[in-house]
Amino acid sequence: MISLGCAKNLVDAEIMLGSVLQRGIEITSRAEDADVLVVNTCAFINSAKEESIEAIFEAHQQRGLNKRSDQKLIVSGCMSQRFARELREEMPEVDAFIGLDQVAQLGEIVEKLLRKRPTRNSDKSRTGVHGSMLNADGSMLSVGRRALDVDSDNGDVGLAFADTRPTYIPDYDTPRFRLTPAHSAYVKIAEGCNHPCSFCVIPQMRGKHRSRTPQSVLAEIRGLVSEGVREINLISQDTTYYGMDLWSAKAGPRQPVDSRRGPTLAALLRKIQEIDGDFWVRLLYTHPAHWSDELIDTIAQCDKVVRYIDIPLQHIDDSMLGRMRRETSRQHIEDLIHKLRAGMPGVTLRTTFIVGFPGETEAEFASLLDFIRRTRFERLGVFKYSQEEGSRAAKMPGQIPVKIQNARYRIAMSIQREIAHEIAREKTGRELKLLVDQPHIARSEADAPDVDARVILSKEAPVGEFAWRAIIGSRGYDLLA
Ligand code: SF4
């Protein structure tokens, strides 16, 4: 299993492996030993798609080099969901494409695929890298189509999922093989997104927002905590909208979290707080439109919820926010940041911005830089706008040349680098609670796994446990303890 992309895709990979194990199939970390390789792709932006395509070709090439041409190659994930038809034409090397609704059926699909061997990918002449070498006559994928049990009238396209938006959502008892360190886990509380952001194609790939029930999420967290997990990272496309799709009176895309109306993230956090055990919980991917005083107060009162808020803002200029269809405004965002910092003293704010969105003027970019300087986000990432086929923004006039995008990216990042280094230096002398990832590497509550900074420990500490350490200095983004 090669899983690319975000934590949400990683959870899908974990579920796919869980379903494989449930059927009594073994998992191996050595690709050359495997009878089936799965590339779990990402299609977030163009560079992610390129990386996914490279990974597929590389896996195919390796099976030739390892003389494992009987090995099956399955492609799953966002890119498969969205572009299965096109990919099937381009990549006859792939034995099966599976959609996001089929992640829990991988075991079954693998069994069916293996029963059909040998397939035409065992033909040695087909171990070249690019599909262009191959005669894509469609017969190659007949195995994949049958494996998916989706027959179509014309007997050609079995990729039924490519036309429908996914609806699957895991439950607490969905078999899962965790790929994260034993002490840290992702819990997907919802899937899909109801927002109309003009640059984004995720809703087209992942479908409408659908929340798991609070009971399901709590049962999963209880299980993880009882296994010794110390860090629970709550994820979804829009974590603050959690539960609101379950309200009897439907909540619109700008509605704030309000527990009087039905299940909410705030109510869920209060329940998580009641779970016995030594752990912390982190919120990732919150949307600025749904924050409310209730949610801020809840986090302030729940000491198991870390003071860390991941809140992608994408821009600050009102005209840009309008064109991006972000359903927020400068005023709303500035007020919200003020409330977050006042309501949760010491909170770490992480955000992301997009530079070079179509029509972004020098003045609009300058107002973003000014906002970055003034707000001093503790954590900040910058994306260069990516023109995504099928998105509204892709058709907008005023697409910005790559050279300008690169320059804007460099300027924004250099401003933030200074701010982040300064913030790190200010931590010297403080005593922090750390979660130890490796004997000499830990993270504070201000550091989400994989995306943020580290704390380098001079004296080793037990892995997977919390430790209190005094910060003695910093090195770039990292702290020294
Ligand atoms: S909130 Fe916007 S950017 Fe985020 S997944 Fe939904 S549509 Fe995409």
Side-chain angles (χ1 to χ4, degrees), residues 319-331:
S319 150
M320 293 294 301
L321 289 170
R323 294 207 297 283
M324 288 179 164
R325 296 170 62 109
R326 286 291 293 166
E327 302 175 307
T328 49
S329 64
R330 177 190 282 273
Q331 191 65 54

PDB file of all heavy atoms in Angstrom, residues 319-331:
ATOM      1  N   SER A 319     -12.710  41.017  -1.915  1.00  0.00           N
ATOM      2  CA  SER A 319     -13.019  40.694  -3.307  1.00  0.00           C
ATOM      3  C   SER A 319     -12.499  39.290  -3.644  1.00  0.00           C
ATOM      4  O   SER A 319     -13.164  38.500  -4.325  1.00  0.00           O
ATOM      5  CB  SER A 319     -12.409  41.789  -4.179  1.00  0.00           C
ATOM      6  OG  SER A 319     -12.062  41.284  -5.401  1.00  0.00           O
ATOM      7  N   MET A 320     -11.316  38.963  -3.136  1.00  0.00           N
ATOM      8  CA  MET A 320     -10.763  37.612  -3.351  1.00  0.00           C
ATOM      9  C   MET A 320     -11.637  36.556  -2.678  1.00  0.00           C
ATOM     10  O   MET A 320     -11.912  35.504  -3.246  1.00  0.00           O
ATOM     11  CB  MET A 320      -9.343  37.513  -2.774  1.00  0.00           C
ATOM     12  CG  MET A 320      -8.328  38.347  -3.476  1.00  0.00           C
ATOM     13  SD  MET A 320      -8.025  37.794  -5.160  1.00  0.00           S
ATOM     14  CE  MET A 320      -7.494  36.150  -4.892  1.00  0.00           C
ATOM     15  N   LEU A 321     -12.056  36.839  -1.441  1.00  0.00           N
ATOM     16  CA  LEU A 321     -12.893  35.858  -0.719  1.00  0.00           C
ATOM     17  C   LEU A 321     -14.188  35.621  -1.477  1.00  0.00           C
ATOM     18  O   LEU A 321     -14.689  34.498  -1.546  1.00  0.00           O
ATOM     19  CB  LEU A 321     -13.185  36.343   0.712  1.00  0.00           C
ATOM     20  CG  LEU A 321     -11.990  36.323   1.667  1.00  0.00           C
ATOM     21  CD1 LEU A 321     -12.332  37.056   2.964  1.00  0.00           C
ATOM     22  CD2 LEU A 321     -11.541  34.907   1.978  1.00  0.00           C
ATOM     23  N   GLY A 322     -14.710  36.708  -2.077  1.00  0.00           N
ATOM     24  CA  GLY A 322     -15.935  36.584  -2.869  1.00  0.00           C
ATOM     25  C   GLY A 322     -15.698  35.702  -4.089  1.00  0.00           C
ATOM     26  O   GLY A 322     -16.469  34.791  -4.377  1.00  0.00           O
ATOM     27  N   ARG A 323     -14.599  35.983  -4.810  1.00  0.00           N
ATOM     28  CA  ARG A 323     -14.332  35.191  -6.021  1.00  0.00           C
ATOM     29  C   ARG A 323     -13.992  33.740  -5.681  1.00  0.00           C
ATOM     30  O   ARG A 323     -14.281  32.828  -6.451  1.00  0.00           O
ATOM     31  CB  ARG A 323     -13.190  35.836  -6.824  1.00  0.00           C
ATOM     32  CG  ARG A 323     -13.564  37.208  -7.386  1.00  0.00           C
ATOM     33  CD  ARG A 323     -12.797  37.546  -8.637  1.00  0.00           C
ATOM     34  NE  ARG A 323     -11.361  37.652  -8.461  1.00  0.00           N
ATOM     35  CZ  ARG A 323     -10.733  38.688  -7.911  1.00  0.00           C
ATOM     36  NH1 ARG A 323     -11.421  39.714  -7.446  1.00  0.00           N
ATOM     37  NH2 ARG A 323      -9.425  38.716  -7.827  1.00  0.00           N
ATOM     38  N   MET A 324     -13.402  33.573  -4.523  1.00  0.00           N
ATOM     39  CA  MET A 324     -13.100  32.199  -4.080  1.00  0.00           C
ATOM     40  C   MET A 324     -14.364  31.497  -3.550  1.00  0.00           C
ATOM     41  O   MET A 324     -14.333  30.331  -3.262  1.00  0.00           O
ATOM     42  CB  MET A 324     -12.043  32.214  -2.962  1.00  0.00           C
ATOM     43  CG  MET A 324     -10.652  32.564  -3.420  1.00  0.00           C
ATOM     44  SD  MET A 324      -9.528  32.571  -2.003  1.00  0.00           S
ATOM     45  CE  MET A 324      -7.933  32.523  -2.823  1.00  0.00           C
ATOM     46  N   ARG A 325     -15.428  32.244  -3.384  1.00  0.00           N
ATOM     47  CA  ARG A 325     -16.696  31.736  -2.822  1.00  0.00           C
ATOM     48  C   ARG A 325     -16.473  31.087  -1.461  1.00  0.00           C
ATOM     49  O   ARG A 325     -16.905  29.962  -1.199  1.00  0.00           O
ATOM     50  CB  ARG A 325     -17.349  30.758  -3.803  1.00  0.00           C
ATOM     51  CG  ARG A 325     -17.755  31.461  -5.103  1.00  0.00           C
ATOM     52  CD  ARG A 325     -18.167  30.504  -6.178  1.00  0.00           C
ATOM     53  NE  ARG A 325     -19.324  29.723  -5.799  1.00  0.00           N
ATOM     54  CZ  ARG A 325     -20.541  29.860  -6.312  1.00  0.00           C
ATOM     55  NH1 ARG A 325     -20.778  30.763  -7.201  1.00  0.00           N
ATOM     56  NH2 ARG A 325     -21.518  29.078  -5.944  1.00  0.00           N
ATOM     57  N   ARG A 326     -15.787  31.832  -0.601  1.00  0.00           N
ATOM     58  CA  ARG A 326     -15.425  31.286   0.709  1.00  0.00           C
ATOM     59  C   ARG A 326     -16.526  31.487   1.750  1.00  0.00           C
ATOM     60  O   ARG A 326     -16.416  31.008   2.865  1.00  0.00           O
ATOM     61  CB  ARG A 326     -14.125  31.930   1.208  1.00  0.00           C
ATOM     62  CG  ARG A 326     -12.908  31.426   0.491  1.00  0.00           C
ATOM     63  CD  ARG A 326     -12.613  29.988   0.846  1.00  0.00           C
ATOM     64  NE  ARG A 326     -12.218  29.843   2.250  1.00  0.00           N
ATOM     65  CZ  ARG A 326     -12.157  28.681   2.888  1.00  0.00           C
ATOM     66  NH1 ARG A 326     -12.506  27.566   2.279  1.00  0.00           N
ATOM     67  NH2 ARG A 326     -11.773  28.638   4.138  1.00  0.00           N
ATOM     68  N   GLU A 327     -17.529  32.236   1.440  1.00  0.00           N
ATOM     69  CA  GLU A 327     -18.658  32.446   2.355  1.00  0.00           C
ATOM     70  C   GLU A 327     -18.238  33.069   3.681  1.00  0.00           C
ATOM     71  O   GLU A 327     -18.834  32.821   4.729  1.00  0.00           O
ATOM     72  CB  GLU A 327     -19.382  31.118   2.607  1.00  0.00           C
ATOM     73  CG  GLU A 327     -19.874  30.509   1.310  1.00  0.00           C
ATOM     74  CD  GLU A 327     -20.496  29.156   1.475  1.00  0.00           C
ATOM     75  OE1 GLU A 327     -19.850  28.300   2.069  1.00  0.00           O
ATOM     76  OE2 GLU A 327     -21.615  28.975   1.018  1.00  0.00           O
ATOM     77  N   THR A 328     -17.134  33.812   3.629  1.00  0.00           N
ATOM     78  CA  THR A 328     -16.692  34.565   4.808  1.00  0.00           C
ATOM     79  C   THR A 328     -16.235  35.937   4.316  1.00  0.00           C
ATOM     80  O   THR A 328     -16.157  36.168   3.114  1.00  0.00           O
ATOM     81  CB  THR A 328     -15.496  33.890   5.523  1.00  0.00           C
ATOM     82  OG1 THR A 328     -14.517  33.577   4.543  1.00  0.00           O
ATOM     83  CG2 THR A 328     -15.895  32.646   6.272  1.00  0.00           C
ATOM     84  N   SER A 329     -15.931  36.824   5.253  1.00  0.00           N
ATOM     85  CA  SER A 329     -15.471  38.160   4.875  1.00  0.00           C
ATOM     86  C   SER A 329     -14.296  38.534   5.768  1.00  0.00           C
ATOM     87  O   SER A 329     -14.043  37.883   6.786  1.00  0.00           O
ATOM     88  CB  SER A 329     -16.598  39.172   5.098  1.00  0.00           C
ATOM     89  OG  SER A 329     -16.886  39.205   6.493  1.00  0.00           O
ATOM     90  N   ARG A 330     -13.586  39.581   5.386  1.00  0.00           N
ATOM     91  CA  ARG A 330     -12.462  40.056   6.207  1.00  0.00           C
ATOM     92  C   ARG A 330     -12.934  40.342   7.638  1.00  0.00           C
ATOM     93  O   ARG A 330     -12.304  39.913   8.602  1.00  0.00           O
ATOM     94  CB  ARG A 330     -11.870  41.328   5.588  1.00  0.00           C
ATOM     95  CG  ARG A 330     -10.751  41.922   6.433  1.00  0.00           C
ATOM     96  CD  ARG A 330     -10.356  43.293   5.932  1.00  0.00           C
ATOM     97  NE  ARG A 330      -9.507  43.248   4.760  1.00  0.00           N
ATOM     98  CZ  ARG A 330      -8.177  43.154   4.804  1.00  0.00           C
ATOM     99  NH1 ARG A 330      -7.543  43.089   5.962  1.00  0.00           N
ATOM    100  NH2 ARG A 330      -7.479  43.122   3.696  1.00  0.00           N
ATOM    101  N   GLN A 331     -14.072  41.052   7.728  1.00  0.00           N
ATOM    102  CA  GLN A 331     -14.561  41.410   9.052  1.00  0.00           C
ATOM    103  C   GLN A 331     -14.815  40.173   9.907  1.00  0.00           C
ATOM    104  O   GLN A 331     -14.397  40.085  11.064  1.00  0.00           O
ATOM    105  CB  GLN A 331     -15.870  42.221   8.894  1.00  0.00           C
ATOM    106  CG  GLN A 331     -16.345  42.887  10.164  1.00  0.00           C
ATOM    107  CD  GLN A 331     -15.362  43.953  10.633  1.00  0.00           C
ATOM    108  OE1 GLN A 331     -15.016  44.838   9.871  1.00  0.00           O
ATOM    109  NE2 GLN A 331     -14.903  43.848  11.875  1.00  0.00           N
TER     110      GLN A 331
END
